[in-house]
C-alpha cells in the first residue's frame, strides 16, 4: 500500500501591496514554499500594487509534510508571508518574523536516571540537519541549549554548517518542585550582535516519564500569537486544496476497474447505473476537471481512451436538442476531451505554436485595432517622426497581425501528419456521432464546429492567450505583448468558429481583419476533413504504461554542467554550458543541439535528484544528479539552472523519470566535497553517509505526469462514495417498482433488471473497498502503537 498527497494551489492576485520602489510602486512576485523549500515562483508583475498572477500548481508531496507558506516579495526587497490551511479567499499579509522562520530536525536520546542524589536527566545531543541558514555565507554556527527546570547547559558551537554533529551528553539534576518539561533550543552564534534563533523542541514531564524521546524531532518556532496586520501590508488571494489519499494495492481496485471498463462497452444513452453515469451526475466544478484528468489517464492506461470519450460523446449528443449548444457547457464530456488533448497533444501543440509565439515575445511589436485603446503618440516617442493617424495605426497593426496569424494558420493546417493518432481517432469518432445526430443539410457545419470547438477554442486559442500556462514560455507576457496575444487568440477563436460570429458581436473594430479570417475558414474545413481521414475506429486496446514512449524527450534546454571536483579547476571555470535532453531512458549532454557527440547517463542509474546549497559553489539554482554505476560506486553531476522555476521544473522532471528506479537514496549531501571535506556537514570522508533527507516524492504535477492506475482508481472511488446514498435509494426504488409502473413509464423489465444488478454490483464493490481501507488503517494504527523504528 502507498500513500499519496497532492496540493492544488492557485495564486490568483494581490491587492493594496505596499510601495517598495522610489516610483511609488512595486514589482511583486510570489513564492510558494513547502516545509521551507521553494516549490514554485510566479512571474514578476512589474510596477503594480494590485498584481494578477492567475498561476496554478499541483504539487505531489509525501504525507508527512508540515507547512505550506506563501511569500510575496518585491524584486529587490524583503517580503511578507502567510501560512494558510485549505482556503479560497483573501488573506492579509504579515511581516516575516525571523524567529518563526525555522526549519530542520534534531536527533536526541534522553534518559531519566535515579541515584542516591535524586533524579537526573541525561540528554544526548547527537546532531541536527537542514537548519535555516542565518549567515550571509548561506550557513550557520549552531549550538544547542538544554533547559530542565531552572537549569540549562549548552553544547559546543559548530562553525559554518547547517548539519552539525555534536555527539555530546548533557546531564541536569532535578530541582525541588513540580516536574518540569525538557526544552532544547538551537541557536546560531554571532560574534557581533545577538544570536539568531534556529528552532526548538519541547517534551512534557509525562512524555519524559513514560516514553523518553529517542530519535529525530522537527524543530518548531517559539509559541506566539498569530498577528494580523489588518491589511496594512496588503493581501493575497489564493485557493488551496489538499488531497490526501491512502492508495491500496492494485488487486483491491480490480473489480472497480472492470466495472469502469464495462461501462464504455454498453449503450451509453440508456446507462443510468454504471460508475461513469453516476460520476457524470455527481461531479461539479473543480472536481469535474480533476476527475476528468484521472479518468482519461485511467482509460489511456488500458488503451481505451477512445471508447471512453466516445461513450461520453454519445451521452452528450443524445441529450442535446439545439446543435448550437453542443459541448458548450463544462460537462464531463467536454472536460474529458479537453484534458485528453492536453495529456496526449502537448508536444504537438508546442511544435505548432512555439515558433510564432516566440517571435511575438521577442519582437514586441505594438498592435492595436480598437480605437479606444490605441496609443497614437507611441510612434512619436519611438521614432520622433510624428504620431500616426488612427487609420495609419490600424493599417500597420493589421499588417502585423496577419503577419503572425498567417504562419499560425499555415502551421495548423499543415500539421495533420504531426497530430497524435489518438487525437485524430477521437476526432473521427466525434465527427461521426455528431453527423449521425444532426444529419440535416442546415446542420452540415455542426460536425466541423464540434471538432474545431475543442481544437481551436479549448486548445490553440488558450495556449496563445496564456503561453506560460501551456509551457510555451517561462514568463508571463508584459502588458503590451499580452494585448498582442489577446488579439491573436481572438482571431484564432473566430477561425475556430468558422467565421459564423463575425460582425455579430460588440467588437466591430475587428472588422478589418474579417476578410483574412474568412479566407482561413475554407482552409480550416479542409484541414478538419483531412484530420479525421484516418484508418481505424478505435485504439488497439493495448495497455499503456506511459503517456509517451520512453524515448520521447520530456524536457530539454541549456544548463551549466559540472562533474565531481575536477582537479585544478577554479569553481567558475568548472561549470560549462551544455545542451541537455531528458527522456524516459537517458539524460544526455552535448555542446549544442546540433552537436553530433553526446554524453548520456541512463535514467535507470539515477539514485537521487536534489538541490545543492548555494554555499557549495557560491552559485544559486544548482541541483545534483546522483547515479550509481555497475560496480556500485556513486557519482554526482551538478547542473545549474537560470532561475528557481527552471530548477523546480528540472528537479520534478528528473524525479518523475527516475521514480521507478530501485535502491533510491534516503539521504544525500546538499553540499559538495571540496577541499577534502563536505561543505554541508564538514565530514572529511567522501563516502560519508548523506546528512540530509532526499525529496524524491516532491514533484510538480503537469501534463507529463506518469500514469498511476492505482492512484487514479482511488480518486474515482472517492468520488463514487459521494453518491453512495443516492445509489442505495435508487436500488430500493427499483426493487419496489411494480409492473404497473413499468407499463406507465414504458420501461423494459429486462433493462430495469440490468440496472438493478449493476447498481447492486457497484454498491458491493464500494463496500469491499471500504473494508480494505479499514483493514489497512487498523494495520497502520497497530504499527504506530509500536513506536518509530528509526529516524
Amino acid at each position: 500500500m502507498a500513500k499519496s498527497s497532492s496540493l492544488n494551489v492557485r495564486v490568483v492576485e494581490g491587492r493594496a501591496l505596499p510601495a517598495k520602489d522610489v516610483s511609488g510602486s512595486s514589482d511583486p512576485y510570489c513564492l510558494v514554499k513547502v516545509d521551507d523549500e521553494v516549490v514554485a515562483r510566479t512571474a514578476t508583475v512589474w510596477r503594480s500594487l494590485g498584481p494578477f498572477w492567475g498561476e496554478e500548481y499541483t504539487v505531489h508531496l509525501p504525507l508527512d509534510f508540515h507547512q505550506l507558506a506563501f511569500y510575496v516579495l518585491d524584486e529587490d526587497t524583503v517580503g511578507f508571508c502567510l501560512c494558510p490551511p485549505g482556503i479560497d479567499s483573501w488573506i492579509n499579509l504579515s511581516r516575516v518574523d525571523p524567529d518563526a522562520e525555522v526549519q530542520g530536525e534534531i536527533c536526541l536520546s534522553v534518559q531519566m536516571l535515579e541515584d542516591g542524589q535524586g533524579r537526573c536527566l541525561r540528554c544526548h545531543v547527537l546532531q541536527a540537519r537542514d537548519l535555516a541558514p542565518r549567515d550571509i555565507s548561506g550557513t550557520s554556527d549552531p549550538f544547542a541549549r538544554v533547559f530542565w527546570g531552572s537549569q540549562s547547559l549548552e553544547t559546543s558551537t559548530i562553525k559554518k554548517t547547517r548539519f552539525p554533529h555534536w555527539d555530546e551528553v548533557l546531564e541536569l539534576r532535578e530541582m525541588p518542585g513540580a516536574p518540569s518539561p525538557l526544552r532544547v533550543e538551537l541557536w546560531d552564534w554571532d560574534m557581533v550582535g545577538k544570536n539568531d534563533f534556529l528552532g526548538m523542541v519541547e517534551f512534557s514531564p509525562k512524555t519524559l516519564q513514560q516514553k523518553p524521546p529517542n530519535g529525530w524531532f522537527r524543530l518548531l518556532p517559539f509559541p506566539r500569537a498569530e498577528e494580523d496586520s489588518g491589511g496594512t501590508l496588503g493581501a493575497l488571494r489564493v485557493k488551496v486544496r489538499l488531497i490526501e489519499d491512502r492508495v491500496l494495492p492494485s488487486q483491491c481496485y480490480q473489480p472497480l476497474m472492470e466495472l469502469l471498463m464495462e461501462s464504455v462497452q454498453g449503450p451509453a444513452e440508456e446507462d443510468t447505473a454504471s460508475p461513469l453515469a453516476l460520476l457524470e451526475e455527481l461531479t461539479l466544478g473543480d472536481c469535474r476537471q480533476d476527475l476528468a484528468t484521472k479518468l482519461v489517464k485511467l482509460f489511456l492506461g488500458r488503451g481505451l481512451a477512445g471508447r471512453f470519450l466516445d461513450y461520453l460523446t454519445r451521452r452528450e449528443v443524445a441529450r442535446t436538442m439545439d446543435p448550437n449548444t453542443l459541448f458548450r457547457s463544462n460537462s464531463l464530456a467536454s472536460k474529458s476531451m479537453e484534458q485528453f488533448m492536453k495529456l496526449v497533444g502537448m508536444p504537438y501543440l508546442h511544435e505548432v505554436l512555439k515558433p510564432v509565439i516566440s517571435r511575438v515575445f521577442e519582437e514586441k511589436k505594438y498592435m492595436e485595432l480598437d480605437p479606444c485603446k490605441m496609443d497614437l503618440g507611441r510612434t512619436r516617442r519611438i521614432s520622433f517622426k510624428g504620431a500616426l493617424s488612427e487609420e495609419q495605426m490600424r493599417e500597420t497593426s493589421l499588417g502585423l497581425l496577419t503577419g503572425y496569424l498567417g504562419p499560425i494558420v499555415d502551421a495548423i493546417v499543415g500539421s495533420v501528419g504531426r497530430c497524435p493518432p489518438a487525437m485524430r481517432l477521437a476526432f473521427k469518432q466525434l465527427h461521426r456521432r455528431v453527423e449521425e445526430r444532426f444529419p440535416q443539410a442546415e446542420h452540415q457545419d455542426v460536425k466541423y464546429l464540434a471538432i474545431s470547438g475543442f481544437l481551436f477554442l479549448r486548445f490553440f486559442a488558450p495556449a496563445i492567450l496564456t503561453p506560460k500556462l501551456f509551457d510555451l514560455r517561462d514568463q508571463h507576457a508584459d502588458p503590451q505583448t499580452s494585448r498582442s496575444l489577446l488579439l491573436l487568440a481572438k482571431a484564432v477563436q473566430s477561425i475556430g468558429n468558422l467565421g459564423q460570429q463575425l460582425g455579430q458581436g460588440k467588437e466591430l473594430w475587428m472588422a478589418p481583419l474579417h476578410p483574412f479570417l474568412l479566407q482561413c475558414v475554407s482552409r480550416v474545413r479542409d484541414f478538419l476533413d483531412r484530420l479525421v481521414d484516418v484508418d481505424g475506429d478505435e485504439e488497439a486496446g493495448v495497455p499503456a504504461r506511459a503517456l509517451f514512449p520512453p524515448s520521447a524527450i520530456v524536457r530539454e534546454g541549456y544548463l551549466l554542467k559540472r562533474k565531481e571536483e575536477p582537479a585544478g579547476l577554479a569553481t567558475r571555470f568548472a561549470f560549462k554550458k551544455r545542451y541537455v535532453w531528458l527522456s524516459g531512458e537517458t539524460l544526455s549532454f552535448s555542446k549544442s543541439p546540433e552537436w553530433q557527440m553526446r554524453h548520456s547517463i541512463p535514467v535507470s542509474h539515477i539514485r537521487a535528484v536534489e538541490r545543492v546549497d548555494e554555499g557549495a559553489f557560491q552559485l544559486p539554482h544548482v541541483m545534483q544528479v546522483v547515479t550509481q554505476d555497475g560496480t556500485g560506486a556513486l557519482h554526482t553531476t551538478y547542473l545549474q539552472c537560470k532561475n528557481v522555476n527552471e530548477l523546480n521544473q528540472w528537479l520534478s522532471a528528473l524525479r518523475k523519470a527516475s521514480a521507478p528506479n530501485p535502491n533510491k537514496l534516503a539521504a544525500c549531501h546538499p553540499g559538495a566535497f571540496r577541499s577534502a571535506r563536505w561543505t554541508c556537514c564538514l565530514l572529511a570522508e567522501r563516502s560519508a553517509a548523506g546528512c540530509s533527507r532526499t525529496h524524491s516524492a516532491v514533484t510538480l504535477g503537469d501534463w507529463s505526469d506518469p500514469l498511476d492506475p492505482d492512484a487514479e482508481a482511488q480518486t474515482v472511488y472517492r468520488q463514487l462514495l459521494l453518491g453512495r446514498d443516492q445509489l442505495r435509494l435508487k436500488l430500493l426504488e427499483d426493487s419496489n417498482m411494480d409492473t404497473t409502473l413499468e407499463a406507465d413509464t414504458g420501461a423494459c423489465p429486462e433493462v430495469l433488471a440490468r440496472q438493478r444488478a449493476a447498481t447492486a454490483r457497484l454498491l458491493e464493490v464500494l463496500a469491499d473497498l471500504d473494508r480494505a481501507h479499514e483493514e489497512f488503517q487498523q494495520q497502520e494504527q497497530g504499527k504506530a502503537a509500536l513506536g518509530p523504528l528509526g529516524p
Side-chain angles (χ1 to χ4, degrees):
M1 181 188 65
K3 293 181 179 179
S4 70
S5 177
S6 66
L7 197 65
N8 297 110
V9 178
R10 181 174 170 81
V11 183
V12 185
E13 57 185 319
R15 70 180 178 195
L17 300 184
K20 292 295 179 179
D21 299 339
V22 293
S23 63
S25 188
S26 287
D27 305 317
Y29 65 94
C30 183
L31 291 179
V32 184
K33 285 189 175 183
V34 173
D35 290 347
D36 304 297
E37 180 173 356
V38 177
V39 296
R41 181 199 192 277
T42 68
T44 300
V45 179
W46 302 98
R47 299 182 297 282
S48 175
L49 301 182
F52 180 83
W53 291 290
E55 298 194 24
E56 191 166 349
Y57 310 96
T58 298
V59 186
H60 302 305
L61 298 164
L63 276 179
D64 59 353
F65 87 94
H66 296 84
Q67 185 186 52
L68 168 70
F70 296 86
Y71 291 75
V72 179
L73 301 101
D74 182 70
E75 274 289 344
D76 50 11
T77 63
V78 297
F80 316 96
C81 76
L82 56 89
C83 305
I87 54 171
D88 182 6
S89 63
W90 287 94
I91 294 188
N92 291 335
L93 297 170
S94 59
R95 195 171 297 281
V96 172
D97 179 359
D99 287 345
E101 295 294 292
V102 303
Q103 66 184 65
E105 300 169 298
I106 186 170
C107 187
L108 301 170
S109 179
V110 178
Q111 291 178 292
M112 299 297 296
L113 306 174
E114 290 194 29
D115 56 21
Q117 300 179 5
R119 299 182 68 192
C120 169
L121 183 145
R122 178 177 293 169
C123 182
H124 189 179
V125 184
L126 289 98
Q127 58 181 307
R129 61 189 178 194
D130 292 309
L131 300 181
R134 294 298 193 214
D135 299 338
I136 195 170
S137 62
T139 62
S140 290
D141 304 320
F143 67 91
R145 187 178 289 159
V146 179
F147 296 87
W148 193 45
S150 60
Q151 302 182 68
S152 67
L153 291 173
E154 294 181 359
T155 66
S156 58
T157 299
I158 311 262
K159 298 291 187 69
K160 298 186 183 305
T161 181
R162 298 193 305 114
F163 301 85
H165 287 250
W166 290 288
D167 198 13
E168 297 182 24
V169 178
L170 306 179
E171 293 190 357
L172 301 94
R173 288 282 172 183
E174 185 177 46
M175 303 300 288
S180 301
L182 168 68
R183 188 171 79 252
V184 181
E185 299 175 359
L186 293 189
W187 293 83
D188 167 53
W189 178 84
D190 283 334
M191 180 179 294
V192 179
K194 67 175 185 177
N195 297 331
D196 299 314
F197 180 66
L198 292 172
M200 59 164 281
V201 291
E202 189 170 66
F203 306 97
S204 67
K206 182 178 179 180
T207 299
L208 295 175
Q209 184 65 37
Q210 296 181 353
K211 190 177 181 182
N214 183 19
W216 286 96
F217 301 94
R218 179 175 174 79
L219 295 172
L220 301 173
F222 275 129
R224 65 185 182 113
E226 289 292 329
E227 297 182 4
D228 190 334
S229 63
T232 58
L233 296 176
L236 181 69
R237 184 182 168 205
V238 294
K239 183 173 184 179
V240 180
R241 184 163 57 102
L242 175 64
I243 302 170
E244 294 185 340
D245 260 335
R246 180 185 293 105
V247 181
L248 302 172
S250 299
Q251 62 268 22
C252 296
Y253 297 107
Q254 195 57 38
L256 177 59
M257 295 288 286
E258 291 174 358
L259 281 180
L260 287 169
M261 300 307 131
E262 290 173 8
S263 297
V264 301
Q265 309 292 340
E269 298 80 0
E270 301 174 5
D271 185 11
T272 60
S274 77
L276 287 180
L278 183 63
L279 288 168
E280 187 179 29
E281 184 177 346
L282 291 173
T283 52
L284 300 170
D286 292 341
C287 292
R288 178 169 286 174
Q289 178 163 317
D290 182 52
L291 178 66
T293 304
K294 299 294 185 184
L295 286 170
V296 170
K297 284 190 167 185
L298 204 76
F299 282 94
L300 273 171
R302 293 297 182 101
L304 294 172
R307 292 186 186 179
F308 165 66
L309 294 172
D310 187 47
Y311 168 90
L312 294 178
T313 296
R314 283 181 283 150
R315 290 178 64 82
E316 181 93 358
V317 167
R319 59 173 172 253
T320 301
M321 298 296 106
D322 181 359
N324 294 317
T325 65
L326 186 62
F327 298 115
R328 294 296 180 179
S329 66
N330 287 321
S331 63
L332 186 60
S334 297
K335 284 295 182 183
S336 295
M337 180 65 84
E338 187 176 331
Q339 296 307 307
F340 171 75
M341 290 190 299
K342 289 181 180 179
L343 289 168
V344 173
M346 199 65 81
Y348 164 65
L349 177 85
H350 283 208
E351 190 175 357
V352 170
L353 293 182
K354 196 165 189 176
V356 180
I357 297 298
S358 297
R359 273 186 56 208
V360 175
F361 272 79
E362 292 160 7
E363 295 175 0
K364 296 186 180 298
K365 301 289 188 181
Y366 179 76
M367 300 178 284
E368 186 55 73
L369 295 180
D370 186 352
C372 299
K373 290 184 168 59
M374 282 185 183
D375 183 2
L376 298 178
R378 178 181 176 82
T379 51
R380 179 191 297 275
R381 296 193 298 271
I382 294 175
S383 66
F384 305 102
K385 294 181 179 179
L388 294 177
S389 67
E390 183 178 306
E391 183 62 30
Q392 289 173 319
M393 176 68 75
R394 184 181 297 110
E395 289 300 319
T396 301
S397 298
L398 186 62
L400 291 170
L401 275 170
T402 54
Y404 291 122
L405 272 175
I408 288 176
V409 174
D410 289 344
I412 292 175
V413 301
S415 68
V416 171
R418 290 173 287 168
C419 184
M423 282 181 64
R424 296 183 65 184
L425 287 170
F427 290 144
K428 178 180 180 179
Q429 291 177 154
L430 175 62
H431 183 277
R432 182 171 71 246
R433 299 302 181 189
V434 173
E435 191 173 35
E436 290 171 353
R437 177 68 178 84
F438 300 104
Q440 298 88 349
E442 64 268 25
H443 296 150
Q444 61 178 345
D445 275 346
V446 177
K447 58 181 179 291
Y448 294 111
L449 287 167
I451 301 172
S452 64
F454 285 117
L455 193 57
F456 284 77
L457 276 61
R458 293 179 183 252
F459 198 45
F460 289 138
I464 293 170
L465 182 62
T466 53
K468 185 178 185 295
L469 301 186
F470 286 77
D471 290 332
L472 288 167
R473 299 292 296 183
D474 291 332
Q475 297 287 339
H476 281 303
D478 58 49
Q480 176 186 316
T481 305
S482 182
R483 178 62 182 173
S484 300
L485 294 172
L486 175 61
L487 294 173
L488 290 170
K490 284 179 177 291
V492 169
Q493 192 172 23
S494 297
I495 295 171
N497 281 323
L498 303 184
Q500 291 190 356
Q501 298 178 8
L502 292 180
Q504 298 178 12
K506 298 179 181 179
E507 298 172 340
L508 298 179
W509 46 265
M510 289 282 286
L513 197 58
H514 290 176
F516 178 85
L517 300 180
L518 291 173
Q519 290 175 12
C520 296
V521 167
S522 59
R523 298 179 65 196
V524 167
R525 277 199 182 91
D526 177 66
F527 161 71
L528 296 175
D529 281 331
R530 289 183 289 116
L531 193 67
V532 299
D533 184 15
V534 57
D535 293 333
D537 293 324
E538 58 189 27
E539 302 123 312
V542 178
R545 299 179 62 184
L547 289 172
F548 307 104
S551 59
I553 301 298
V554 295
R555 189 155 192 86
E556 61 181 299
Y558 277 108
L559 298 175
L560 296 179
K561 175 177 177 284
R562 184 187 197 273
K563 295 181 181 179
E564 291 173 294
E565 192 67 26
L569 280 180
T571 300
R572 61 175 178 168
F573 298 118
F575 281 87
K576 297 183 178 180
K577 188 176 183 180
R578 293 290 183 265
Y579 198 84
V580 186
W581 295 267
L582 172 65
S583 71
E585 297 174 334
T586 59
L587 178 65
S588 304
F589 311 88
S590 78
K591 290 185 177 181
S592 70
E594 300 80 19
W595 199 261
Q596 297 299 315
M597 294 183 61
R598 294 188 187 182
H599 167 67
S600 295
I601 298 173
V603 167
S604 60
H605 289 187
I606 294 176
R607 296 294 174 262
V609 182
E610 296 295 319
R611 298 171 187 266
V612 175
D613 287 344
E614 189 168 328
F617 301 107
Q618 302 303 315
L619 294 171
H621 316 311
V622 177
M623 64 178 171
Q624 57 180 315
V625 181
V626 183
T627 57
Q628 189 173 37
D629 63 22
T631 67
L634 296 177
H635 304 277
T636 306
T637 300
Y638 298 98
L639 300 169
Q640 186 189 18
C641 303
K642 293 193 295 288
N643 52 54
V644 68
N645 270 355
E646 186 178 62
L647 173 63
N648 286 329
Q649 290 160 0
W650 274 103
L651 283 169
S652 183
L654 282 161
R655 286 170 180 171
K656 289 177 189 176
S658 59
N661 292 357
N663 305 320
K664 303 284 276 296
L665 297 180
C668 73
H669 292 280
F673 194 80
R674 301 179 58 206
S675 303
R677 69 175 186 175
W678 287 101
T679 60
C680 44
C681 56
L682 309 182
L683 295 179
E685 298 83 19
R686 180 186 283 273
S687 59
C691 56
S692 177
R693 288 192 296 180
T694 54
H695 305 82
S696 60
V698 180
T699 59
L700 291 172
D702 59 25
W703 54 270
S704 63
D705 280 355
L707 299 177
D708 189 346
D710 297 337
E712 290 142 14
Q714 172 63 22
T715 299
V716 173
Y717 158 71
R718 188 176 64 240
Q719 290 294 326
L720 286 169
L721 285 181
L722 300 176
R724 179 156 54 183
D725 290 342
Q726 183 176 332
L727 272 176
R728 288 169 175 163
L729 181 62
K730 179 178 177 56
L731 181 63
L732 183 63
E733 291 174 349
D734 288 349
S735 299
N736 294 331
M737 185 177 292
D738 56 25
T739 55
T740 303
L741 184 58
E742 290 176 8
D744 292 342
T745 60
C748 174
E750 290 79 7
V751 172
L752 292 173
R754 285 200 301 270
Q755 291 177 354
R756 284 195 295 269
T759 304
R761 187 179 171 196
L762 179 54
L763 285 169
E764 183 181 346
V765 167
L766 295 179
D768 289 342
L769 282 168
D770 280 349
R771 285 190 290 270
H773 274 281
E774 290 173 2
E775 291 173 3
F776 279 105
Q777 187 171 4
Q778 291 171 1
Q779 293 176 15
E780 287 178 357
Q781 292 172 347
K783 292 177 182 177
L786 297 175
L789 300 177

